[in-house]
């Protein structure tokens, strides 16, 4: 589900801080105060839903690891304590919303875990992942489909990149393989540093990006075809870092 709102990290006067949720089309906004002060967090996910939104925040710098979830329907935070630190060092990857939960990939050995946004329970999926993976990322259309994008190779070097879809039997079904020349270009611009790779869903397309590259590689899911979206012509010619793309579908009546 593409977000209709935009979330900012908002600074107020003094030492207090908050989030700022905006609907640019309706010119409306809401300040969401942090649940506590000081408030240090490592992972953040903004989930657009049919009747509002939720903000997921993972905090692991305290003696008791905690998750905070903000629900716009009741304008309040809920805290979930003492979860198992099963994400390892891979918490920088944003959660992917699917079937009422946020899904995350862990560092090697790769696995998938999910957090139920209503109950606050963590679960590790026991389905087997494809073999010889060098990196993994998740993408969802927000409702019906969960996809896995991964590099395939040996010794941390990707020789190919593939797309899998989660089937009804909770097994991963190969859906598409990135053409060889496009794969060579993508892994070369990443310099095989796959921590720079991130993905998102946008109106029927799976977008695969790199923080250090101004172009977007995307797959039209319905046609199973791959394409490059060229860089924005407004960017300086030698600008080569700090790129961060996201999906935004304006909607006049999205409530903040």
């Amino acid at each position: 589900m593409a977000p209709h709102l935009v979330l900012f990290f908002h600074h107020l006067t003094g030492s207090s801080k908050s989030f700022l949720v905006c609907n640019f089309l309706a010119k409306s906004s809401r300040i969401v105060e942090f649940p506590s002060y000081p408030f240090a967090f490592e992972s953040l996910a903004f989930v657009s839903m049919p009747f509002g939104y939720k903000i997921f925040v993972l905090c692991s710098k305290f003696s008791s690891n905690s998750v905070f979830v903000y629900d716009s329907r009741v304008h309040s935070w809920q805290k979930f304590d003492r979860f198992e630190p099963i994400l390892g060092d891979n918490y920088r990857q944003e959660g992917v919303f699917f079937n009422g939960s946020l899904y995350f990939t862990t560092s090697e050995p790769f696995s998938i875990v999910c957090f139920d946004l209503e109950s606050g329970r963590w679960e590790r999926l026991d389905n087997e992942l494809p073999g010889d993976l060098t990196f993994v990322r998740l993408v969802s259309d927000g409702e019906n489909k969960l996809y896995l994008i991964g590099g395939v190779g040996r010794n941390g070097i990707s020789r190919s990149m593939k797309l899998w879809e989660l089937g009804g039997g909770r097994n991963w079904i190969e859906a598409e393989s990135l053409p060889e020349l496009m794969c060579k270009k993508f892994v070369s611009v990443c310099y095989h540093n796959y921590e720079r790779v991130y993905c998102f869903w946008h109106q029927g397309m799976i977008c695969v990006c790199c923080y250090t590259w101004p172009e977007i590689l995307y797959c039209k899911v319905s046609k199973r075809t791959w394409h490059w979206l060229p860089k924005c012509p407004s960017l300086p010619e030698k600008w080569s870092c700090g790129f961060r793309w996201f999906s935004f579908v304006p909607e006049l009546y999205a409530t903040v």
Side-chain angles (χ1 to χ4, degrees):
M1 181 179 299
H4 309 299
L5 305 171
V6 178
L7 177 70
F8 292 98
F9 182 67
H10 184 59
H11 291 257
L12 297 176
T13 58
S15 59
S16 61
K17 297 177 181 178
S18 63
F19 296 116
L20 178 65
V21 183
C22 297
N23 183 332
F24 290 140
L25 195 61
K27 297 182 179 180
S28 59
S29 63
R30 174 182 293 275
I31 292 176
V32 178
E33 297 283 351
F34 284 177
S36 62
Y37 303 97
F39 189 61
F41 57 89
E42 293 80 45
S43 181
L44 171 70
F46 183 70
V47 181
S48 292
M49 309 182 80
F51 302 102
Y53 56 87
K54 292 192 177 185
I55 303 173
F56 166 95
V57 182
L58 174 65
C59 305
S60 62
K61 291 186 178 180
F62 303 103
S63 57
S64 175
N65 295 328
S66 302
V67 166
F68 293 86
V69 177
Y70 177 83
D71 190 338
S72 68
R73 295 170 301 178
V74 293
H75 303 302
S76 66
W77 291 91
Q78 187 173 4
K79 183 181 179 183
F80 301 97
D81 287 323
R82 293 186 294 277
F83 70 88
E84 293 295 328
I86 54 180
L87 289 181
D89 297 328
N90 212 36
Y91 55 77
R92 294 179 182 83
Q93 295 297 328
E94 292 184 6
V96 173
F97 181 66
F98 173 69
N99 198 24
S101 298
L102 280 175
Y103 285 71
F104 302 83
T105 59
T106 71
S107 53
E108 294 186 75
F110 298 121
S111 64
I112 297 175
V113 299
C114 65
F115 175 82
D116 189 299
L117 286 170
E118 291 295 332
S119 67
R121 291 195 300 267
W122 287 92
E123 178 185 358
R124 189 186 298 273
L125 274 65
D126 57 4
N127 53 344
E128 186 177 352
L129 295 181
D132 297 326
L133 290 172
T134 53
F135 73 92
V136 289
R137 298 291 184 270
L138 294 172
V139 174
S140 171
D141 63 1
E143 298 174 352
N144 303 314
K145 301 289 186 179
L146 183 65
Y147 299 94
L148 175 72
I149 299 101
V152 179
R154 294 290 179 88
N155 302 318
I157 302 297
S158 295
R159 302 301 180 187
S160 63
M161 193 164 76
K162 296 185 178 183
L163 172 69
W164 293 268
E165 180 181 323
L166 187 64
R170 309 298 290 177
N171 57 321
W172 293 102
I173 303 171
E174 184 175 331
E176 190 61 41
S177 183
L178 181 65
E180 183 178 358
L181 289 179
M182 300 180 82
C183 183
K184 285 183 177 180
K185 175 179 176 178
F186 187 78
V187 297
S188 66
V189 301
C190 295
Y191 301 103
H192 298 291
N193 185 351
Y194 305 119
E195 290 186 359
R196 300 171 177 173
V197 178
Y198 63 99
C199 306
F200 62 89
W201 174 273
H202 178 72
Q203 295 189 305
M205 297 179 292
I206 293 175
C207 302
V208 188
C209 312
C210 180
Y211 291 113
T212 57
W213 193 251
E215 296 175 294
I216 295 177
L217 175 65
Y218 68 96
C219 176
K220 290 185 177 180
V221 174
S222 61
K223 298 182 178 180
R224 296 291 197 256
T225 57
W226 295 87
H227 310 269
W228 281 103
L229 181 68
K231 75 172 186 176
C232 173
S234 300
L235 289 172
E237 191 64 30
K238 295 184 179 181
W239 194 272
S240 61
C241 64
F243 301 102
R244 187 68 171 94
W245 316 105
F246 63 95
S247 173
F248 176 62
V249 182
E251 182 179 305
L252 180 61
Y253 300 106
T255 304
V256 297

